[in-house]
Every structure is written in structure tokens, then in C-alpha cells.
Amino acid sequence: MRPVYIRQVIKTLKAAGAFPFLTDANTLYAGARGDAPHHLVTAIQNGFAFSVIDAPMIIADGLRGRTETAVTINQKQFKKVYIGTEIVNADALVSVAHFKGHELSGYGGAIKNIGMGCASRRGKMDQHSDVAPKVKKKKCIGCGECVLHCSQKAIRLVEQKADIDPKKCIGCGECIIVCANEAVQIQWNQSVPVFLERMVEYAAGVLSSKTGKSLFINFINNVSPGCDCLPFNDASLVRDIGVVASTDPVAIDQASVDLVNREPAVGYTCLTTNTGPGEDKFRGVYPNIDWEHQLVYAENLGLGSRTYDLISID
């Protein structure tokens, strides 16, 4: 996401009389966004400084990710969800998401941006708690790539085979991505649907205090196959498509998926199947992930509708 794009959003909001600020919640894993000081420095280093975007930045869940507000939702997976307090306190919410593929949810758009992005560290752990990867020893060649990329130091080599400590693992899924031999896997049919439902319920918790006060913007450019949190990525799956906006998080994500899938794939990427127009690009990259489940569940929860009208603006 380029800062100049955000500046235009800020400019429009100010023209409407708002006093906007940028926000994000700290990450579950240790790293450049694991606490507020490092998070703010990372934002500035990537161009999200006040002098560029003309708005301040506030880390929603405080210094160490513990400034949270419990929001009662009484849903299937959670009775309460834990949201960064400053997001709960905000008068309104504008979600600006980079639409892309994702190694756990199939794709990442508006729902993931608010469901995961607005959760406190405790909330992120709640969502990931069932996503426990396992190592298939017969496939593991002991290369150590997963060890090098594990932010929690939860993986070690034992007799030249990767071994994951479940007490340290936070379920971020990075080891799954870096394993070239597909030796690190999760229980897709059991873990992923639960993860998606938890993420959607967190989105519902965020939006429960923002009825009629939310806007969602998806940038469908550089549609990378993996999460932006990863320190590496592949080329875009399809050409740059543009920007979509809606007051409905379900409709905007459904439209974004449809726009990507109707495009032919760009060549020479990790996408080697489902490359034609109309074919499911996200299933092509992640055949075991039913990304549609998050949209079905979100619609059933009343977050929005998968039916939409797409209006082009020149």
C-alpha cells in the first residue's frame, strides 16, 4: 500500500469534516510491528509519516498490545472478542486493505483487515489458537528454512527433521509457506474453517459499534499470493485491477474475488493451475483452503451481502 494513496483518502475525509488518524494493532509475532515504538518506526520508514499522509498514527492496542476492550458478541466461536481500545473508541472506521492471497484464509481483504488487524494481541491469539502446523517427517529433508523463518523460535531440527514446539507456536503459518517440500501442514478441513469463523466474528465485534459509520476500500493492485506480513512474496497473480469501495464488507470482498478470478493469470508465478479467465486463482494457489467459507459465514452473521452491483467510476 503506497502512502500517497492513503494521503488521498485522508484528504477526502478531511474535506468531509472528519479528523482522521491512521491506526493498526500490534502483531502477535515478535518483530517490527510487535510493540508500539517499533510499529511507529516501521510505519515512518515505509512512508507513513505525518509529513507524507497529513494524519497522525495511533497504535490501537497500546505499547505492548494489551490495551484492549472486550466486546460481547455471543456467537458460535466466541462470546467476547478483544479489540484494540482506540478502534472501539473511534467515532467511525475506514478500512483500507491491500487485496491479495493469504496462506491461511485463501485471500485477504476487508474482512481480514478488520477482523485480524483490529484485534489486540490476545485477540489474534484467540483466532490462531487452532491453527497448529504439523511436520510430515517423511517429507522433511532437514533444510532448516522453517527454523530460520520462525519468529517465535518454535521450530528446531531433531535428527535432521523439523520439530515444532506447540507451546511456542502462534499459528502464523509462515513455516507452511517457506517449506518447499510441503512437509509442514495443518489439518485443513478442521483448522481452517474454525479460523475463518473466528476471524469473521472478530470483524463483527469491531463493526458492532460502527453501524452506519464504516467504509471499506480494497486496492486490487499487486495481488500477491501471500500475506503482506511475510518478508518475501511472489509476483502478482493477475494484472493491476484498481480500487473498489463499499459500505458492505462482504460485498466488497466478494466483488474483489470475482474481479481477480475473471482475469487471466500473469505468467511465471507460483500459480500454475486455474490460470484462465473465470478460474479460481486463490484455489489455484491454495487448493486446500475454502476461502468462500468466510464470505458465507459473514453473510449468515449479518455483516453484509454477497450480492452486489458493480458501478464503474471513470
Side-chain angles (χ1 to χ4, degrees):
M1 184 70 65
R2 296 183 180 180
V4 291
Y5 298 161
I6 302 299
R7 184 183 177 94
Q8 293 305 309
V9 176
I10 295 294
K11 182 179 179 180
T12 302
L13 291 172
K14 285 188 171 183
F19 188 26
F21 62 92
L22 263 66
T23 191
D24 194 8
N26 292 308
T27 56
L28 179 58
Y29 50 84
R33 294 186 294 137
D35 59 57
H38 287 92
H39 207 149
L40 290 169
V41 168
T42 300
I44 293 168
Q45 289 175 337
N46 283 274
F48 294 93
F50 185 91
S51 59
V52 177
I53 59 175
D54 198 27
M57 184 164 186
I58 300 172
I59 303 304
D61 57 345
L63 182 63
R64 301 186 186 278
R66 298 174 187 148
T67 305
E68 62 190 16
T69 297
V71 177
T72 300
I73 60 169
N74 291 322
Q75 295 296 337
K76 176 182 175 183
Q77 299 293 338
F78 297 117
K79 300 303 179 185
K80 290 183 179 180
V81 293
Y82 298 90
I83 310 300
T85 294
E86 303 312 331
I87 289 171
V88 177
N89 289 340
D91 296 320
L93 181 145
V94 177
S95 164
V96 183
H98 170 220
F99 193 80
K100 69 278 180 187
H102 193 275
E103 56 277 8
L104 293 180
S105 55
Y107 78 86
I111 294 173
K112 184 179 183 300
N113 196 39
I114 55 176
M116 188 64 68
C118 296
S120 67
R121 179 168 287 144
R122 176 180 177 178
K124 290 179 172 69
M125 180 63 83
D126 278 350
Q127 294 178 66
H128 282 93
S129 61
D130 275 357
V131 186
K134 306 291 183 184
V135 178
K136 291 194 172 183
K137 303 296 184 181
K138 290 183 179 180
K139 286 191 172 185
C140 179
I141 62 172
C143 67
E145 282 296 308
C146 57
V147 177
L148 292 173
H149 285 86
C150 181
S151 64
Q152 303 303 302
K153 302 188 184 304
I155 309 176
R156 59 179 182 146
L157 291 181
V158 178
E159 297 180 354
Q160 292 303 303
K161 300 290 182 180
D163 184 76
I164 301 174
D165 184 346
K167 294 181 180 179
K168 293 182 179 180
C169 176
I170 60 173
C172 67
E174 189 161 337
C175 55
I176 299 169
I177 296 299
V178 301
C179 182
N181 293 294
E182 298 183 347
V184 186
Q185 299 182 3
I186 64 172
Q187 298 180 54
W188 296 106
N189 292 333
Q190 297 177 29
S191 298
V192 170
V194 172
F195 169 75
L196 293 176
E197 289 175 7
R198 290 179 172 185
M199 185 176 72
V200 168
E201 289 185 10
Y202 259 79
V206 172
L207 297 176
S208 63
S209 63
K210 304 291 186 290
T211 303
K213 300 178 181 179
S214 300
L215 174 66
F216 308 94
I217 303 171
N218 283 355
F219 281 78
I220 318 176
N221 298 326
N222 187 25
V223 185
S224 53
C227 179
D228 292 333
C229 295
L230 299 174
F232 54 88
N233 225 318
D234 199 0
S236 180
L237 301 177
V238 298
R239 70 178 181 90
D240 288 352
I241 294 172
V243 185
V244 289
S246 177
T247 56
D248 183 330
V250 181
I252 193 174
D253 275 5
Q254 182 68 68
S256 298
V257 168
D258 292 344
L259 286 167
V260 170
N261 284 340
R262 78 181 188 184
E263 293 288 325
V266 173
Y268 305 104
T269 72
C270 64
L271 180 62
T272 57
T273 62
N274 296 6
T275 58
E279 294 186 292
D280 190 337
K281 308 302 182 296
F282 302 106
R283 278 282 199 174
V285 179
Y286 304 111
N288 294 310
I289 299 179
D290 180 14
W291 56 261
E292 196 171 9
H293 187 67
Q294 68 174 289
L295 293 172
V296 172
Y297 192 67
E299 187 174 48
N300 289 339
L301 248 57
L303 287 187
S305 172
R306 297 178 66 190
T307 302
Y308 61 88
D309 292 319
L310 196 61
I311 302 171
S312 297
I313 301 175
D314 295 329

